[in-house]
Amino acid sequence: MKELFISATRLLPAIALAAMASLGASDAAAGWPDGYYDSLEGKCGVELMRAVKAVAQNHKKITYGSDTWKAFEHTDVKVVDGTEYWWDMYSNELVPVSAGRPDSNVMNIEHSVANSWWGKTKNDAYCDIVHLNPSNSQANSKKGNYPLAELQSVTWNNGVTFIGSPKPGQGGGAGNCYEPADQYKGDFARVFMYMFTIYDNISWKSNTAWMYDINSELMFRQWARELLLRWSQNDPVSDKERSRNDGIQSQQRNRNPFIDLPDLAEHIWGSKSTVPFSLEGGGGGPEDPKDPEATEITYSWLSSTDTDMAGWTVENIELAPEVKDVWKWREYNGNHYLNGSAFISGTPYAALAYAWSPEVDLTKAEIARFSFSHAAKFQTTLRSLCKVAVKDAESGDIDEIDIPAWPNKGSWTFVPSGDIDLAAYAGRKVHVGFKYESDETGADIWEINEGRLYVKNKVTGIECIPSVDTDSDDSFLVEVWGNNILAPEGAVIFDINGRQVSGTNLQHGVYIVVKPTFKKSVKIVIAQ
């Protein structure tokens, strides 16, 4: 299963699409209004935090409940294999949007910043969709009102939500904490920054002050500042967040500035807190489609809900005669996983085998990060012999990479591997996978699922063709009819991945129309 881009469905009404086409410029595309962040210029620290609050605090209040789900149609929908599902950042469960508002036993409206932290008062914070998300009900219940943290040990997880005890120096004294999956850590960090900036003066309770300090103008405790800044840095703003921010603006009439201008956080809480913020250096304005940002792709593999390996293959290099195979796809209590083992009837045997992903094109990659969840109760030779592996699709050469984080011994609890940087393989097509190796002294069982490969590509195929006669600009002729883009002769249409398309029967998504006579590229969102 591959998630390419957040669904553009419902992001803009049909009348907006027509206006966009007639204007023929990026001004009609989603993004923050002109001048929206001008008041932040030259400020830093507490002064900048207050300026951010002044920009974003005034917004339309959306009634919590059925109206929230209506807003989610504009902010939290993704398309998987042609079907729209609620975008759940707490589990891998796929709940179709077409079924309407989910039953509360299936999904809830989750406050990422727990509402009990301010006594559950139904104020503006209670119904602010910036920190509300569709959530699997079991994950919501398990998460409770725990603070964010990186975990030392895990007591419950579903491959996306992890509950357990925090690492030393984190948690603020809480016995249990919550750690999101790696691909969502930056999302939650930027939401927490928004909430504690916009709502710094509500009645935060002292008995839940694990992450915040009500006596500090900057709100966060030092350990929490460091955590959120690190997560925001390690998990950069994605297309999903940008599209969600546009959806929030369409419904709530404000935006999360920490998504639009990620460098803001460093100028408030981080290493640049005494350096005046500059829009020129921190973002500068809405995205210009003639120089689109790199396409972001997340490959999702080995899901705990998959019934098979879904395109993964096995390569056996050397197996003891007693070992028929090493890698198998297994299931226990509804949780599916890739199982590697050469331990048979109480005896460890020597083996060397790889499990490989489908081929991945990194020829345009600027960033590539791989992560997964894994469990291993018995660990004798596992940590020294088993690795992440990368195979060059052309030469067949294999590199081995150490894994940052291993599960604790004595438990079958799945834990995050940590991010593994694969940027060194940019410019190549590769298979990402796992090396299982064992010998007669140890053949440990290794269980793996929830693989994620995040790739940020530099798009080079959609740059606006230089104008040769700006007086003959005919971009106003670009029109949208249903799922078709009508463009003047000589225009070329690209999808967001840089592939040229015909312009007819298009799927949901963002498209760029260019022509030498256009003064600006035309950005189109197909939303139906």
Side-chain angles (χ1 to χ4, degrees):
M1 175 174 61
K2 184 167 72 173
E3 298 165 3
L4 289 178
F5 192 74
I6 187 170
S7 171
T9 306
R10 306 181 179 86
L11 285 180
L12 294 173
I15 190 169
L17 291 173
M20 182 189 305
S22 64
L23 285 171
S26 62
D27 295 341
W32 62 88
D34 186 36
Y36 189 68
Y37 292 122
D38 286 357
S39 61
L40 308 185
E41 186 74 28
K43 298 179 175 64
C44 59
V46 173
E47 184 184 14
L48 179 58
M49 185 176 177
R50 290 170 178 165
V52 171
K53 176 179 178 178
V55 167
Q57 69 176 336
N58 296 319
H59 58 266
K60 175 184 176 183
K61 186 173 182 178
I62 297 174
T63 304
Y64 184 90
S66 59
D67 286 349
T68 310
W69 284 104
K70 291 177 183 177
F72 284 163
E73 293 180 6
H74 300 261
T75 59
D76 293 273
V77 174
K78 65 179 176 180
V79 176
V80 179
D81 297 332
T83 302
E84 293 181 344
Y85 298 95
W86 298 113
W87 199 309
D88 181 1
M89 297 197 296
Y90 297 89
S91 83
N92 282 319
E93 296 296 321
L94 294 177
V95 179
V97 175
S98 60
R101 177 177 177 175
D103 184 276
S104 60
N105 292 321
V106 177
M107 297 195 84
N108 303 144
I109 301 171
E110 168 62 346
H111 294 81
S112 59
V113 177
N115 61 75
S116 64
W117 291 5
W118 66 79
K120 298 185 178 182
T121 302
K122 295 184 178 181
N123 51 18
D124 286 356
Y126 183 83
C127 55
D128 191 326
I129 59 174
V130 169
H131 85 127
L132 300 182
N133 304 98
S135 168
N136 171 269
S137 58
Q138 183 185 28
N140 182 18
S141 176
K142 293 291 185 180
K143 170 184 172 290
N145 71 343
Y146 301 150
L148 294 171
E150 293 165 332
L151 303 184
Q152 179 174 250
S153 63
V154 177
T155 57
W156 183 89
N157 85 92
N158 61 3
V160 180
T161 295
F162 300 85
I163 306 299
S165 58
K167 290 181 178 180
Q170 298 187 25
N176 288 304
C177 293
Y178 156 57
E179 181 173 356
D182 290 342
Q183 70 266 29
Y184 296 134
K185 284 178 177 174
D187 303 52
F188 285 114
R190 287 178 280 272
V191 165
F192 270 61
M193 293 170 182
Y194 167 94
M195 290 297 292
F196 281 93
T197 296
I198 306 307
Y199 301 106
D200 60 331
N201 61 348
I202 62 176
S203 300
W204 298 100
K205 300 301 179 183
S206 58
N207 63 333
T208 55
W210 301 298
M211 295 187 70
Y212 56 86
D213 180 357
I214 56 180
N215 295 315
S216 171
E217 289 184 297
L218 291 173
M219 290 303 291
F220 292 118
R221 293 178 178 269
Q222 185 60 37
W223 77 267
R225 291 186 207 176
E226 294 172 358
L227 177 79
L228 297 178
L229 288 170
R230 183 168 66 253
W231 283 5
S232 185
Q233 177 68 29
N234 292 343
D235 178 27
V237 175
S238 64
D239 283 339
K240 172 196 181 300
E241 286 181 271
R242 295 186 189 97
S243 294
R244 187 173 198 273
N245 216 15
D246 293 338
I248 288 169
Q249 180 178 311
S250 73
Q251 300 302 298
Q252 192 169 270
R253 304 291 186 259
N254 75 333
R255 302 178 67 83
N256 183 347
F258 297 101
I259 292 174
D260 291 332
L261 306 169
D263 199 40
L264 274 178
E266 287 292 340
H267 287 269
I268 296 175
W269 299 285
S271 60
K272 301 177 183 177
S273 60
T274 59
V275 179
F277 176 76
S278 170
L279 283 169
E280 183 176 351
E287 182 181 352
D288 187 344
K290 72 179 179 182
D291 184 20
E293 293 189 13
T295 301
E296 299 179 10
I297 303 174
T298 298
Y299 297 87
S300 300
W301 295 316
L302 307 176
S303 169
S304 60
T305 60
D306 287 347
T307 56
D308 56 38
M309 292 172 64
W312 278 58
T313 57
V314 170
E315 181 182 8
N316 293 321
I317 304 300
E318 186 176 352
L319 304 182
E322 294 83 359
V323 182
K324 294 183 179 180
D325 50 44
V326 166
W327 293 108
K328 298 177 182 178
W329 188 248
R330 290 190 167 173
E331 178 269 339
Y332 181 75
N333 284 346
N335 185 53
H336 296 78
Y337 54 89
L338 182 63
N339 185 96
S341 175
F343 190 81
I344 302 172
S345 301
T347 302
Y349 292 96
L352 175 59
Y354 295 92
W356 295 115
S357 76
E359 182 179 297
V360 179
D361 187 351
L362 299 182
T363 54
K364 297 181 181 179
E366 288 186 323
I367 298 173
R369 292 196 306 268
F370 181 53
S371 64
F372 56 94
S373 295
H374 58 155
K377 184 175 182 179
F378 309 106
Q379 301 181 28
T380 54
T381 60
L382 183 70
R383 296 194 185 199
S384 61
L385 297 180
C386 296
K387 312 282 184 180
V388 163
V390 178
K391 180 167 69 171
D392 189 290
E394 182 176 345
S395 68
D397 293 341
I398 296 174
D399 292 338
E400 298 175 3
I401 303 173
D402 290 334
I403 297 166
W406 284 92
N408 292 330
K409 298 179 181 180
S411 170
W412 288 118
T413 300
F414 281 78
V415 303
S417 66
D419 285 342
I420 299 167
D421 188 359
L422 301 183
Y425 300 94
R428 299 157 64 179
K429 294 181 179 180
V430 300
H431 297 273
V432 181
F434 303 99
K435 170 199 172 188
Y436 181 92
E437 187 174 5
S438 61
D439 57 30
E440 290 79 5
T441 66
D444 306 316
I445 299 172
W446 192 15
E447 300 179 348
I448 302 166
N449 61 16
E450 304 305 337
R452 294 285 187 275
L453 175 61
Y454 166 80
V455 179
K456 184 174 183 179
N457 289 331
K458 180 63 177 180
V459 177
T460 59
I462 319 178
E463 291 92 344
C464 185
I465 303 170
S467 176
V468 296
D469 182 6
T470 55
D471 291 335
S472 60
D473 179 17
D474 54 354
S475 60
F476 67 93
L477 295 174
V478 177
E479 297 183 64
V480 178
W481 291 91
N483 286 53
N484 304 308
I485 297 175
L486 305 182
E489 184 177 357
V492 182
I493 304 171
F494 295 93
D495 68 12
I496 198 64
N497 294 312
R499 297 183 294 256
Q500 186 173 341
V501 297
S502 68
T504 59
N505 297 320
L506 297 171
Q507 297 184 356
H508 309 312
V510 178
Y511 297 88
I512 309 297
V513 186
V514 297
K515 187 184 175 184
T517 55
F518 287 3
K519 290 182 179 179
K520 284 189 175 183
S521 308
V522 181
K523 181 178 179 180
I524 298 293
V525 179
I526 297 295
Q528 296 184 15

